[in-house]
Amino acid sequence: MSTPLLRHFIDGEFVASTKTFANISPVDGRLLGQVCEADRPLVERAVAAAKAAQSGPWAHYSPSQRADLLLDIANGIQRRFEAFVAAEVADTGRPVQQARTLDVARAVQNFRTFAELLRQSGSELFEMRSADGNDVFSYSVRKPHGVVAIISPWNLPLLLLTWKVAPALACGNSVVIKPSEETPSTATLLAEVMQEAGVPAGAFNLVHGFGPNSAGEFLTTHPDVDAITFTGESRTGATIMKAAAEGVREVSFELGGKNAAVVFADCDFDAAVAGVLRSSFTNSGQVCLCSERVYVERPIYERFVAALKAGAEQLKIGYPDEDGVNMGSLISHKHRDKVLDYFQLALEEGATLVSGGAVPQFGDARDQGAYVQPTLWTDLPDHARCLREEIFGPVCHIAPFDSEEEVLRRVNDSAYGLATALWTRDLKRAHQLSRRFRVGMVWVNTWFLRDLRTPFGGTRLSGLGREGGRHSLDFYSEITTICVNP
């Protein structure tokens, strides 16, 4: 029985290439199919198609027409909803319920949200009187950058890809996307939807491949790419930033995190336990916003550790389509090995293992997958590598604290600055502390709740720039001021 071949999508057509690589299931290690790998000439062909689209029919779409097209794309994903779910689950091993309620649902919402924002967006207009007495008017207009390179990650493949594609197209850009080599399937399905929706040739292009000396490097170093947006690890972001310096291209980076959850003694205890379980173990900890450092006020510390241990040990690990499953596999055996190395390092650094710390045994095909147990540690010193480096797995370390100033200092003592979750009933404290955390996002008594109109991004090693709402439209646009003296 032959396996599927996932092809590139360039200038409105699917294109195969000679070189391929395997797409392996993280659930049971079986071969899902083969994926075409782009060489430099093929990436150049994709960029050329995107550049040509800026002079073709796509260039003449009005904002209203682009908004209508985004809605057509959203409806196309909705029509093929279960196919997207199946592809996302096959590539990632995540629970089917998560793929339905988060990943694919959010992809539809991304296109609908930016269609609405595009219709509502306006320009700035100012008037002033010049020295010679004339009334002068200045207004701004948005223009596309041209060709935007989109590099998306494997942890939330469709969600984060569409988070970038939707506003880029809304602003009239042409895009060349490179999804992670670990998760190529939903990007290919999205190309099919683009074709069905009638997206003009060259406006949306897809190339598969890897990073160094492959599609990622060929794309980000191409001189005809006008802007680059990337979500992924910080080291890769630094490499792309060096490439973007040639030609001084626009960049937007959402990078890694070593996020904290802060739990005060006055919190709603059950809600805080449930919230930290969710923020630590959703998607097997493979979300850049997950909490890997948890600080609990000392009066409730022992009780909180016990409750978190009980909750973690009740999480069901299993096949994506099992009833009640909470956690699937990690993305790959390679990534599981990295996480397991940190499990060993934590013990060497003095951690007390509260729960987990091993590979579950199933006695079936899942033993060939990339599973690990949800894991809790205590007693690590703040300088431990396991508290300084992003692990990106289902793990958190729990530590006590005694004062606001202490926990503020410890939370901010990080090279990262993406998100913090704060659990307290004292809203005065919540407002004051939230301003002082050196992060791009603070959740108070919740986690992963997003209004897509708000800015999103990180500080320091967690990223550069903001996307979401008007901020996405600003990044994906070249803004020109026109000054008129009547």
Side-chain angles (χ1 to χ4, degrees), residues 98-399:
Q98 179 191 318
R100 284 199 180 114
T101 58
L102 176 62
D103 300 271
V104 183
R106 173 67 184 278
V108 174
Q109 186 184 6
N110 284 339
F111 282 102
R112 290 179 176 165
T113 294
F114 283 105
E116 181 179 354
L117 286 169
L118 183 58
R119 292 194 197 282
Q120 295 175 353
S121 68
S123 64
E124 296 176 299
L125 172 66
F126 299 95
E127 62 177 289
M128 59 178 284
R129 182 156 292 172
S130 65
D132 57 5
N134 289 329
D135 289 326
V136 176
F137 299 88
S138 297
Y139 64 96
S140 61
V141 294
R142 295 183 183 276
K143 301 179 294 185
H145 288 294
V147 179
V148 176
I150 297 176
I151 316 291
S152 59
W154 50 256
N155 60 321
L156 298 169
L158 184 65
L159 186 160
L160 292 173
L161 175 59
T162 55
W163 175 242
K164 297 175 182 298
V165 170
L169 293 180
C171 294
N173 298 283
S174 307
V175 301
V176 182
I177 69 167
K178 194 212 78 76
S180 168
E181 64 275 11
E182 302 282 5
T183 52
S185 300
T186 47
T188 307
L189 273 179
L190 183 61
E192 294 179 10
V193 168
M194 294 285 172
Q195 191 177 50
E196 293 164 2
V199 174
F204 177 92
N205 304 274
L206 159 67
V207 291
H208 291 295
F210 299 85
N213 199 34
S214 187
E217 179 181 331
F218 304 150
L219 180 57
T220 55
T221 58
H222 197 293
D224 287 337
V225 168
D226 300 295
I228 304 169
T229 178
F230 167 76
T231 297
E233 66 175 8
S234 302
R235 284 176 297 180
T236 305
T239 300
I240 293 174
M241 194 167 186
K242 291 176 184 176
E246 289 291 331
V248 196
R249 272 92 55 81
E250 291 269 3
V251 294
S252 178
F253 293 149
E254 198 266 280
L255 306 177
K258 191 69 178 178
N259 308 299
V262 178
V263 183
F264 282 91
D266 68 348
C267 69
D268 179 327
F269 186 86
D270 291 340
V273 170
V276 172
L277 279 171
R278 183 167 170 256
S279 70
S280 296
F281 302 124
T282 290
N283 201 35
S284 298
Q286 300 170 123
V287 179
C288 56
L289 300 163
C290 277
S291 307
E292 292 190 5
R293 299 181 293 151
V294 179
Y295 300 97
V296 181
E297 199 168 15
R298 197 173 298 275
I300 64 168
Y301 173 73
E302 296 293 342
R303 180 186 170 206
F304 194 90
V305 171
L308 207 62
K309 170 181 167 66
E313 292 175 353
Q314 289 172 5
L315 295 175
K316 183 177 179 180
I317 310 170
Y319 283 115
D321 57 353
E322 282 187 75
D323 289 339
V325 69
N326 302 109
M327 275 179 47
S329 66
L330 297 185
I331 189 63
S332 66
H333 288 86
K334 179 181 178 181
H335 185 60
R336 185 183 70 173
D337 290 344
K338 172 197 166 185
V339 172
L340 291 175
D341 285 346
Y342 275 108
F343 284 6
Q344 179 60 38
L345 176 62
L347 299 179
E348 295 169 3
E349 291 185 314
T352 297
L353 181 63
V354 176
S355 183
V359 174
Q361 298 299 310
F362 300 100
D364 56 34
R366 287 171 294 180
D367 291 334
Q368 306 304 312
Y371 291 88
V372 295
Q373 295 172 335
T375 298
L376 303 175
W377 300 318
T378 58
D379 300 324
L380 280 174
D382 284 353
H383 64 266
R385 282 179 56 197
C386 288
L387 288 184
R388 317 275 320 167
E389 300 172 11
E390 183 181 37
I391 298 171
F392 219 60
V395 61
C396 72
H397 177 269
I398 319 162

